Amino acid sequence: MTGRIAVTGANGFVGRAVTRALIDAGREPLGIVRQSAGPHTVQIESLDAITPTVFEGCDAVIHLAARVHVMRDAAADPLAAFRAVNVDGALQTADAARRAGATRFVFVSSIKALAEFDHGEPLKETDERRPPDAYGVSKAEAEVRLQEFGARTGLEIVIARPPLVYGPEVRANFLALMRAIAKGMPLPIGAVTAQRSLVYVDNLASALVECATNPRAAGHIFHVTDGENPGVAELARRLGHHLKRPARLLPVPVGLLQAAGRLTGKTAQVERLTGSLRVDSAHIRDVLGWRPSYSLEAGLAATAAWFLQQRAAEGR
C-alpha cells in the first residue's frame, strides 16, 4: 500500500492519535471530519453524506466515527439511534471506500461488542458475542454485517476491539477518577480487586496503523490492550503516585457497595466498578507481531502529566 489512509472521526480523542501515528509511520492521512476541516481533511455533514469521492486515492480506511456509549441516553429509541450510525453508517462508509478503490476497511469496534465482564477468563476474539447494552449490540451487529459485506465484495475487513482507552485529553470516567484523586476525595474502592484491561491511546493508534497496513491483518478480529490487567484499587493508587497525591481509598466491602447500588438505582454502575473485564490481546501479537510501545506505567505517567499541566494552566 502506498496511497493515503483515511481516518473517519479524525478530530476525536483516538482519531488525533491515529493521525499522528500515520504521519510518524510515513503515511499520508486523510481526516474525514464533521467540524473544523483543516489541512489534509474533508468535512462532511454526516456518515449519510459520504460518497466514493471522499476516499479517492485512499488504500484503506480506519473507521472511528461512531455514536458513543453514554450513561444517560436522551434518544427515544437508543438502539435505533446507535444502529443508524454504528451499523448503517459503517456499512455506507465501507461501501463508499470500496467503490473508490480502497482495499481495506478497519472497523474500530469495542470490547462491549463481546461482553461487559470476563466471567473468569480473559475475553478472546473467538468468544461468543454477548453485548450488554444498545451500544454493544450496535457494534456487534456492525462487525457481523461488515464481515458479510467483505465476504461478498472482496473488501478486506479488519476489526479492532479496544477496552477502556486512556491518555492525554481523555474524558469521561477516567478523567473523573483523576479529578477525584487530585482533590483528595475519599473513594470507596479500596477493597475492589476486580481487574480491568486498558489501552493507552498511542498504543491503540499504532495497532490501528498496523491493522491498516499489514497484509496479514486481513479478515482478522484483534483485541488491543497494554498487556496488563490492574485491579481497580491498584489503578487508583498508581494514578495517585503520578498525580503526586496519594489516592484516599476506603476499604468498603464489595457486597456493601453492591447493596448501595441497588438502593440508589445504580446497580449497573456498581457492577461495572466491581466486575472484572480482562481482555486477551495475544492474537494481534501472534499474527502481526505488534507490541505496545508504552507500558501501562508509562501511559499512566503521560496521562497524569497532561492532567497536571491542564490544572496548572487553569490556575488550580
Side-chain angles (χ1 to χ4, degrees):
M1 292 184 180
T2 58
R4 294 183 294 181
I5 295 178
V7 182
T8 68
N11 52 359
F13 170 49
V14 178
R16 291 190 293 272
V18 171
T19 299
R20 293 192 300 268
L22 284 168
I23 294 171
D24 290 344
R27 303 305 300 260
E28 181 185 356
L30 176 67
I32 312 300
V33 298
R34 292 182 60 186
Q35 298 177 0
S36 305
H40 309 295
T41 63
V42 174
Q43 188 168 359
I44 60 171
E45 292 294 325
S46 67
L47 293 180
D48 292 340
I50 284 187
T51 64
T53 304
V54 171
F55 298 115
E56 286 184 358
C58 293
D59 285 334
V61 176
I62 298 174
H63 184 58
L64 284 158
R67 187 174 193 267
V68 298
H69 175 72
V70 292
M71 292 300 295
R72 295 179 179 84
D73 200 323
D77 186 345
L79 181 54
F82 279 122
R83 280 173 168 155
V85 177
N86 297 348
V87 182
D88 298 339
L91 285 165
Q92 181 161 337
T93 303
D95 185 51
R98 180 192 63 83
R99 287 190 285 144
T103 58
R104 181 168 295 183
F105 189 82
V106 180
F107 178 63
V108 184
S109 185
S110 166
I111 201 62
K112 276 182 169 284
L114 202 58
E116 183 83 83
F117 308 110
D118 63 40
H119 302 293
E121 294 289 338
L123 298 173
K124 296 184 178 181
E125 292 85 349
T126 52
D127 289 342
E128 182 182 353
R129 295 180 179 92
R130 294 179 178 175
D133 53 24
Y135 169 73
V137 168
S138 71
K139 285 293 192 178
E141 290 180 354
E143 289 183 4
V144 173
R145 296 278 298 279
L146 284 167
Q147 287 177 320
E148 292 171 347
F149 180 80
R152 189 168 64 248
T153 64
L155 180 66
E156 296 176 350
I157 303 296
V158 185
I159 295 168
R161 290 187 189 136
L164 187 151
V165 185
Y166 71 99
E169 301 181 20
V170 69
R171 295 291 181 262
N173 291 340
F174 202 93
L175 178 59
L177 176 61
M178 288 195 291
R179 284 173 173 162
I181 293 171
K183 291 178 180 177
M185 294 174 58
L187 300 171
I189 59 174
V192 179
T193 58
Q195 294 177 296
R196 313 287 291 192
S197 294
L198 305 88
V199 61
Y200 182 57
V201 67
D202 285 353
N203 285 339
L204 176 58
S206 71
L208 293 178
V209 171
E210 193 72 16
C211 287
T213 59
N214 192 320
R216 296 190 298 273
H220 285 273
I221 298 176
F222 296 115
H223 291 169
V224 186
T225 78
D226 289 342
E228 298 182 52
N229 303 309
V232 171
E234 177 194 353
L235 177 64
R237 292 189 185 98
R238 291 167 77 169
L239 271 173
H241 169 74
H242 292 294
L243 291 169
K244 301 176 176 59
R245 186 74 181 265
R248 297 178 60 193
L249 306 183
L250 305 180
V252 178
V254 171
L256 188 56
L257 285 175
Q258 292 170 336
R262 290 191 293 270
L263 289 172
T264 59
K266 296 183 178 180
T267 298
Q269 291 93 319
V270 172
E271 286 181 347
R272 278 191 290 271
L273 179 67
T274 59
S276 177
L277 181 58
R278 294 165 298 164
V279 179
D280 187 329
S281 56
H283 186 57
I284 191 170
R285 298 194 298 272
D286 294 343
V287 174
L288 304 186
W290 176 85
R291 297 290 187 277
S293 299
Y294 296 85
S295 66
L296 174 64
E297 200 65 28
L300 294 178
T303 308
W306 163 80
F307 177 83
L308 293 174
Q309 185 178 40
Q310 293 297 112
R311 281 174 62 88
E314 294 168 359
R316 295 183 183 180

